[in-house]
């Protein structure tokens, strides 16, 4: 028996003793939130609603984190998952493929922009971005271009919680017209300025050292549903082609129908080299993501190692693939892309009616059912609230009290200043439900501003 340990009393272990002070405190032991905080316990989901263990019902106006595109408890997706579990719940991709994974890949390719020829199925959006970075690096290594090690991204972008996505890299300005187009500057001039800045960053880094440029077609959590200016991504594509670098579109949050087209970049008439998707791909029913790959990239891999040198335990997981396939089938069958455009126009109008003249709402923006409000202390001068007031957190709390889930964030402007509220309701939301969302949000915003003031 090891010395220094009481085998009859495991709590005598020094490690366990160090956390015994937590006993008796009603709290969650899950460590991705602040210790001592326990959120409501979700027990039921139905359509756009979630219910907690105390019987309180919440409208899910953000789809969680822009995930639940079909709402909760969709019978077709649940049935597809059950059927796949009955047939084969897991088969490692090193040994087998499955019909669900193959069918999902074909369905994604059928919707993809021109030139996309392959799919890598992973277990989530952050993993998709990490895989895209690795694949882009391999693309150049296969051609002997080993000096290419740099990616360029934009400030106020979020590409995932993994080491590659969080790594230090050259950054350029976001395409953020509300904040950074100066007085007297037209939209075309502003767009040209951004593209000049990107070209300068490529030249400063050395084109022979740059792998790719990463950008969200519609910026999500870090900026709040910021759409690009007309022609911006066409200019990005031109620069990438000019200097032989890859364009990586991060559609983890804005893709899979959220903006009214299956891929958000479609609305800019541009074909990226790599596209990362997640969130809405599985609609929350299973963890899944994917990287869609241009045919030219695939050809180089075929001539080199013959495969993408990347695999995880749950790559191409059959139940996740079955769930995602069912999600895409429902979107197609029920014409939900048209529904997103229609309901998105309704939501924009309602937000304009209520917040268009609000003294503390500076901008209403987004595409489809991916909308945001930017909050300001002074509407005329666009002055943000002081970051230490944490207005976004106050809005979240006030909304939850009113049975409303929204996605507020801080640091919109520069990582520290700026507050916004993101809305991403399920595609099945009705006009009446949108009206209720906007009404509760108005109450929450007003209450939060009073609270911090």
């Amino acid at each position: 028996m090891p010395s220094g340990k009481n085998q009859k009393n495991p709590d005598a272990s020094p490690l366990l003793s160090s956390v015994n002070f937590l006993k008796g405190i009603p709290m969650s032991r899950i460590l991705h939130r602040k210790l001592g905080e326990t959120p409501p316990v979700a027990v039921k989901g139905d359509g756009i609603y979630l219910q907690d263990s105390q019987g309180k019902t919440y409208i899910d106006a953000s789809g969680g984190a822009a995930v639940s595109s079909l709402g909760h408890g969709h019978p077709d997706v649940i049935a597809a998952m059950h059927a796949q579990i009955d047939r084969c719940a897991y088969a490692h991709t090193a040994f087998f493929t499955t019909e669900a994974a193959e069918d999902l890949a074909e369905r994604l390719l059928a919707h993809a922009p021109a030139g996309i020829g392959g799919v890598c199925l992973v277990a989530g959006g952050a993993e998709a971005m990490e895989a895209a970075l690795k694949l882009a690096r391999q693309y150049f290594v296969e051609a002997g271009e080993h000096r290419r090690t740099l990616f360029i991204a934009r400030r106020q972008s979020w590409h995932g919680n993994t080491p590659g996505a969080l790594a230090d890299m050259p950054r350029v300005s976001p395409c953020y017209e509300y904040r950074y187009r100066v007085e007297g500057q037209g939209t075309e001039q502003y767009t040209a300025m951004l593209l000049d800045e990107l070209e300068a960053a490529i030249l400063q880094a050395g084109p022979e050292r740059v792998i790719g440029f990463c950008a969200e077609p519609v910026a999500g959590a870090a900026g709040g549903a910021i759409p690009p200016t007309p022609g911006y991504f066409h200019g990005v594509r031109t620069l990438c082609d000019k200097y032989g670098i890859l364009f990586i579109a991060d559609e983890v949050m804005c893709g899979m129908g959220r903006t009214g087209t299956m891929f958000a970049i479609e609305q800019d008439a541009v074909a990226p080299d790599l596209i990362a998707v997640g969130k809405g791909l599985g609609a929350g029913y299973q963890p899944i993501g994917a990287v869609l790959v241009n045919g030219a990239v695939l050809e180089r891999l075929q001539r080199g190692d013959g495969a993408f040198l990347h695999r995880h335990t749950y790559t191409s997981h059959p139940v996740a693939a079955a769930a995602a396939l069912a999600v895409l089938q429902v979107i197609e069958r029920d014409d939900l892309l048209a529904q997103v455009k229609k309901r998105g126009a309704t939501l924009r109008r309602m937000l304009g009616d209520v917040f268009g003249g609000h003294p503390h709402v500076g901008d209403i923006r987004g595409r489809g059912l991916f909308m945001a409000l930017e909050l300001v202390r002074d509407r005329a001068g666009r002055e943000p609230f002081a970051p230490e007031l944490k207005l976004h957190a106050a809005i979240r709390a006030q909304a939850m009290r009113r049975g409303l889930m929204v996605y507020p964030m801080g640091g919109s402007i520069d990582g520290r200043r700026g507050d916004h509220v993101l809305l991403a309701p399920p595609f099945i939301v009705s006009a009446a439900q949108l009206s209720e969302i906007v009404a509760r949000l108005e109450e929450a915003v007003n209450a939060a501003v009073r609270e911090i003031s």
Side-chain angles (χ1 to χ4, degrees):
M1 178 184 296
S3 61
K5 190 170 183 179
N6 186 341
Q7 296 300 306
K8 294 183 180 180
N9 181 14
D11 283 0
S13 158
L15 178 61
L16 292 175
S17 295
S18 68
V19 297
N20 278 346
F21 75 95
L22 298 174
K23 286 191 171 181
I25 301 175
M27 61 171 286
S28 171
R29 300 296 179 90
I30 297 174
L31 298 183
H32 58 71
R33 59 177 67 96
K34 188 175 180 180
L35 286 173
E37 291 185 354
T38 301
V41 178
V43 297
K44 182 181 179 182
D46 183 17
I48 72 163
Y49 302 99
L50 282 169
Q51 188 179 92
D52 69 18
S53 57
Q54 302 302 308
K56 183 174 180 178
T57 299
Y58 304 79
I59 298 176
D60 187 357
S62 60
V67 175
S68 300
S69 54
L70 299 187
H72 305 278
H74 199 290
D76 291 13
V77 183
I78 292 171
M81 292 168 60
H82 277 298
Q84 183 61 50
I85 291 170
D86 289 341
R87 289 195 297 271
C88 177
Y90 176 71
H92 195 277
T93 189
F95 303 98
F96 295 98
T97 187
T98 60
E99 290 183 3
E102 296 293 336
D103 290 347
L104 174 59
E106 290 297 330
R107 185 77 57 149
L108 283 169
L109 291 175
H111 288 283
I116 297 294
V119 177
C120 174
L121 298 175
V122 294
E127 189 179 317
M129 272 305 296
E130 195 78 358
L133 300 179
K134 290 177 67 176
L135 178 53
R137 166 66 175 163
Q138 184 181 339
Y139 171 76
F140 286 108
V141 169
E142 297 282 13
E145 298 186 57
H146 299 276
R147 292 190 63 202
R148 290 191 188 253
T149 58
L150 298 177
F151 292 91
I152 297 175
R154 304 187 297 185
R155 293 186 292 276
Q156 297 315 104
S157 291
W158 178 252
H159 296 298
N161 231 343
T162 58
L166 294 172
D168 187 26
M169 62 183 73
R171 299 271 180 172
V172 295
S173 298
C175 188
Y176 191 175
E177 190 173 16
Y178 171 71
R179 276 286 161 197
Y180 294 119
R181 182 167 66 85
V182 299
E183 187 176 353
Q185 185 181 45
T187 297
E188 288 187 8
Q189 292 173 305
Y190 172 67
T191 303
M193 181 185 72
L194 293 176
L195 295 172
D196 287 344
E197 181 186 355
L198 174 58
E199 184 167 27
I202 294 170
L203 292 172
Q204 182 176 2
E208 73 285 354
R209 297 183 61 223
V210 178
I211 294 174
F213 175 64
C214 305
E216 300 165 278
V218 180
I226 304 174
T229 54
Y232 172 77
F233 278 113
H234 176 76
V236 165
R237 178 73 271 178
T238 299
L239 286 175
C240 288
D241 291 340
K242 178 178 180 179
Y243 293 106
I245 68 177
L246 300 179
F247 171 33
I248 303 171
D250 178 352
E251 296 214 4
V252 171
M253 183 172 263
C254 64
M256 295 292 96
R258 173 57 59 191
T259 64
T261 48
M262 190 62 78
F263 294 90
I265 198 68
E266 291 179 50
Q267 296 176 44
D268 297 282
V270 169
D273 299 294
L274 301 170
I275 307 174
V277 296
K279 295 187 184 292
L281 176 61
Y285 290 90
Q286 284 281 278
I288 190 169
V291 183
L292 287 88
V293 186
N294 185 283
V297 175
L298 295 176
E299 289 177 13
R300 182 171 292 181
L301 297 187
Q302 188 65 42
R303 294 196 303 268
D305 279 290
F308 176 28
L309 304 179
H310 176 84
R311 185 183 297 135
H312 284 287
T313 302
Y314 295 112
T315 298
S316 296
H317 191 280
V319 181
L325 179 60
V327 169
L328 295 182
Q329 290 170 334
V330 170
I331 290 173
E332 294 175 18
R333 183 196 68 198
D334 296 347
D335 199 17
L336 291 184
L337 295 180
Q339 177 83 341
V340 170
K341 293 176 184 176
K342 179 180 178 181
R343 295 287 185 249
T346 299
L347 177 57
R348 181 182 287 274
R349 175 180 56 77
M350 290 178 174
L351 290 171
D353 290 345
V354 172
F355 293 105
H358 195 286
H360 298 300
V361 174
D363 195 24
I364 302 170
R365 56 178 177 251
R367 286 180 178 174
L369 286 175
F370 195 50
M371 300 292 297
L373 306 178
E374 182 166 335
L375 288 303
V376 290
R377 178 178 288 280
D378 172 50
R379 181 183 175 89
R382 303 185 181 184
E383 178 191 350
F385 284 87
E388 57 267 22
L389 295 175
K390 298 186 183 299
L391 175 59
H392 59 283
I395 291 174
R396 180 184 182 278
Q398 291 289 351
M400 287 291 283
R401 289 174 193 167
R402 290 162 174 77
L404 179 68
M405 294 166 55
V406 292
Y407 199 111
M409 290 290 288
S412 319
I413 299 171
D414 55 14
R416 183 172 178 270
R417 299 177 305 138
D419 301 272
H420 70 261
V421 180
L422 190 67
L423 298 171
F427 302 171
I428 59 171
V429 69
S430 69
Q433 290 167 334
L434 288 175
S435 180
E436 183 63 24
I437 287 169
V438 174
R440 294 190 195 187
L441 180 59
E442 181 185 23
E443 292 180 6
V445 168
N446 291 337
V449 171
R450 288 195 300 269
E451 176 187 334
I452 68 167
S453 299

